[in-house]
Amino acid sequence: MAQERKRLGDLLVEAGLLTEDKLQQALKEKSKDQKLGDAILQRGYITEQQLIEVLEFQLGIPHVSLFRYPFDQNLFHLIPKDTAKRNLIIPLKKEGDKLFVAMADPMDFYVIEDLRLSTGFFIETAIATKDDILRSINKFYDMDESFEELKGLGNEPDGGQDETIMDQDSPIARLVNQILSNAMTQKASDIHIDPQETRVLIRYRVDGILRTERAIPKHMQSMLTARIKIMAQLDITEHRVPQDGRIKTNIDFRPIDLRVSTLPTIYGEKMVLRILDLSSSLNDLTQLGFNSLNMKRFQSLIERPTGIVLITGPTGSGKSSTLYAALNKLNSEEVNIITVEDPVEYQLEGINQIQVNSNVGLTFATGLRSILRQDPNIIMVGEIRDKETVEVAIRASLTGHLVLSTIHTNDSLTTVTRLIDMGVEPFLVATSLSGIVAQRLVRKVCRDCAVEETPTRREFDIFKRRGLTVEKINRGKGCAACNMTGYKGRLAIHEVLVINEEMKKIIMNNEPLSALREAAHMSKTIFLLDDGLLKVKQGITTTEEILRVAIE
């Protein structure tokens, strides 16, 4: 008797991976042609690995991990690279007249039928994760391609090189696209092109940690930098001064936006490409990892009609994302929001964004002065860098505007010292400052390979010193999904300092930092380390990650 096939949603609920409420919410919110599995993954309710295990059980199709899989390189010519990427398939092996392929969606019978007709084999399918397939395609399809052609290119006379760099289908253009495509697959935030004495290193920053992806021969360096400069519309004849530009392009059928920065070093120009993924849904405050008390405090700060709210942290700690999420929350037709940024990273609808241009004298300070004549309610300044900017920002907040901005300091309390150090009078800092949010990004434990462990002696001591207790913690063993690191994805830890009357008095009287810290303690401020340890307790991250970014 044929067994009745259950629906995916019911299977996930039965397996205890999803609650009925979340299932109904995903069904209601998903777009018409979106698959339920994709909708649930997008909301982060389950991991791709968990979905695959349920599909494997539901469809009776085996699941395959492509990490260190012994691929048969001769099969790759059967399925062209574009077809493989578009349909998320990769050939595994052949036995007699059967071709085994790994697919992200083994229910796509059109693709299976196409493959059968184009290859002449009977197709046997297995399930693999989307990231796994893309990573393998990028790694294996490009090994033989373009690289061999490029090796001979460095020796051409200049005329030939110029044409090669400009041509969209040239080997060097393919190499650049390959580097970008790999970075997107690995969800990198930055690509570093580091010239060394005898070679050029390509390094990716994934989840905040840099790692070397590949090394390319030294003679290809000039063509690689020239190609990227042409894409970013920079001056390719200038090698002595730093330059900044942007690239808007399509990689693997999706739009990406890159910020390019060049820096002359002794071995040639170092380039850093910051990837701004326009499709990422970081415009929602609830997705940023605030705990409930910090969330309440932060919302009360940004809902005030006046005052300055500062977000602080080092480069790459997600300050811009938090600012944009706050603006997104405040964005409505009743308010006039104007921003002055350098550069404008994400374009938000309904918000007037100004790009700083120091060549024509449009700095943060001059931009801010002009904004005040535009009848704004909320002003966002990309960064407070000097005394002039901070003075205009304070004047704006004292004349009835809400000002949001970022500043580079270690934590919320040292921000007050930094402002006074910039030359602002203490009474002005006390009257205009509403609150400060310090933020860091930490890596999340990979949900697919997390195991519960008993904390070490040292971890017990760290928790005890902060007045917390801990029974169990989570650590990742390392799997194909997280590239054997044990971590996948990042979340923010926060310290939200709301300036109350007591603190205003301390700032005005220029009392030492210890008095301010005591007042913050009395008002139940959750410090960075404490917020991090609470997240370790919830099993989201590890103590090592917290101690990497926060100090006691």
Side-chain angles (χ1 to χ4, degrees), residues 229-256:
K229 279 184 172 180
I230 284 171
M231 289 171 78
Q233 295 173 350
L234 299 176
D235 181 358
I236 62 168
T237 58
E238 182 56 83
H239 307 288
R240 298 159 303 174
V241 294
Q243 297 186 63
D244 288 307
R246 281 190 97 136
I247 298 175
K248 272 195 164 152
T249 180
N250 274 325
I251 297 288
D252 298 342
F253 316 105
R254 57 192 278 204
I256 61 164

Side-chain angles (χ1 to χ4, degrees), residues 327-328 330-339 347-353 378:
L327 286 181
N328 219 25
L330 299 169
N331 190 6
S332 69
E333 59 176 45
E334 290 93 56
V335 290
N336 178 17
I337 303 177
I338 306 183
T339 75
Q347 283 133 24
L348 297 177
E349 209 169 314
I351 290 178
N352 311 291
Q353 293 169 285
I378 298 163

Side-chain angles (χ1 to χ4, degrees), residues 529-546:
L529 188 63
D530 300 330
D531 188 35
L533 292 178
L534 287 170
K535 289 189 165 101
V536 174
K537 211 172 154 175
Q538 291 166 11
I540 306 173
T541 183
T542 62
T543 325
E544 293 86 357
E545 274 298 294
I546 302 303

Side-chain angles (χ1 to χ4, degrees), residues 82-96:
D82 281 353
T83 313
K85 273 201 166 165
R86 195 170 42 246
N87 300 316
L88 295 171
I89 48 178
I90 191 164
L92 300 172
K93 58 180 180 181
K94 71 171 200 268
E95 285 176 7

Side-chain angles (χ1 to χ4, degrees), residues 29 32 60 88 92 168 182 184 206 227 230 240-241 248 321 334 377 404 444 466 488-489 514 518 526 542 545:
E29 290 174 5
K32 209 171 180 179
L88 295 171
L92 300 172
Q168 291 292 330
N182 275 355
M184 295 295 288
V206 180
R227 173 69 196 158
I230 284 171
R240 298 159 303 174
V241 294
K248 272 195 164 152
S321 297
E334 290 93 56
N377 300 89
L404 305 173
K444 290 196 286 193
R466 307 301 293 186
K488 190 170 186 195
S514 54
E518 188 54 42
I526 301 173
T542 62
E545 274 298 294

Side-chain angles (χ1 to χ4, degrees), residues 253-298:
F253 316 105
R254 57 192 278 204
I256 61 164
D257 202 346
L258 300 159
R259 221 165 74 200
V260 182
S261 160
T262 74
L263 188 71
T265 69
I266 53 171
Y267 295 127
E269 282 176 288
K270 172 178 164 62
M271 293 188 139
V272 176
L273 286 72
R274 161 69 56 91
I275 300 172
L276 305 169
D277 190 359
L278 304 176
S279 60
S280 69
S281 56
L282 268 184
N283 289 340
D284 185 0
L285 271 183
T286 54
Q287 302 286 313
L288 296 177
F290 277 100
N291 72 35
S292 49
L293 179 65
N294 279 345
M295 183 71 171
K296 208 154 66 185
R297 287 180 171 174
F298 184 57

Side-chain angles (χ1 to χ4, degrees), residues 116-246:
R116 190 180 68 77
L117 292 170
S118 64
T119 62
F121 287 97
F122 289 110
I123 306 297
E124 290 282 336
T125 56
I127 316 178
T129 64
K130 195 166 147 186
D131 287 350
D132 228 0
I133 292 176
L134 279 173
R135 202 181 294 130
S136 302
I137 291 173
N138 285 336
K139 191 169 170 187
F140 292 103
Y141 267 87
D142 298 328
M143 277 167 85
D144 47 351
E145 219 185 86
S146 72
F147 212 69
E148 291 305 317
E149 299 171 51
L150 274 168
K151 282 186 177 165
L153 273 177
N155 318 320
E156 281 186 22
D158 280 353
Q161 267 198 9
D162 284 352
E163 283 172 32
T164 309
I165 294 165
M166 300 297 283
D167 182 13
Q168 291 292 330
D169 294 321
S170 65
I172 194 74
R174 287 212 298 274
L175 177 69
V176 171
N177 287 349
Q178 198 179 314
I179 290 170
L180 297 180
S181 178
N182 275 355
M184 295 295 288
T185 311
Q186 297 188 27
K187 298 188 169 50
S189 57
D190 301 82
I191 304 168
H192 288 241
I193 296 171
D194 286 353
Q196 316 266 305
E197 192 172 2
T198 56
R199 57 191 184 153
V200 181
L201 292 183
I202 310 289
R203 304 199 292 165
Y204 292 162
R205 188 180 290 282
V206 180
D207 288 342
I209 307 288
L210 263 176
R211 62 162 180 259
T212 303
E213 176 67 16
R214 69 198 289 181
I216 59 174
K218 186 71 176 172
H219 73 256
M220 283 157 57
Q221 181 184 327
S222 56
M223 292 175 66
L224 184 64
T225 45
R227 173 69 196 158
I228 293 172
K229 279 184 172 180
I230 284 171
M231 289 171 78
Q233 295 173 350
L234 299 176
D235 181 358
I236 62 168
T237 58
E238 182 56 83
H239 307 288
R240 298 159 303 174
V241 294
Q243 297 186 63
D244 288 307
R246 281 190 97 136

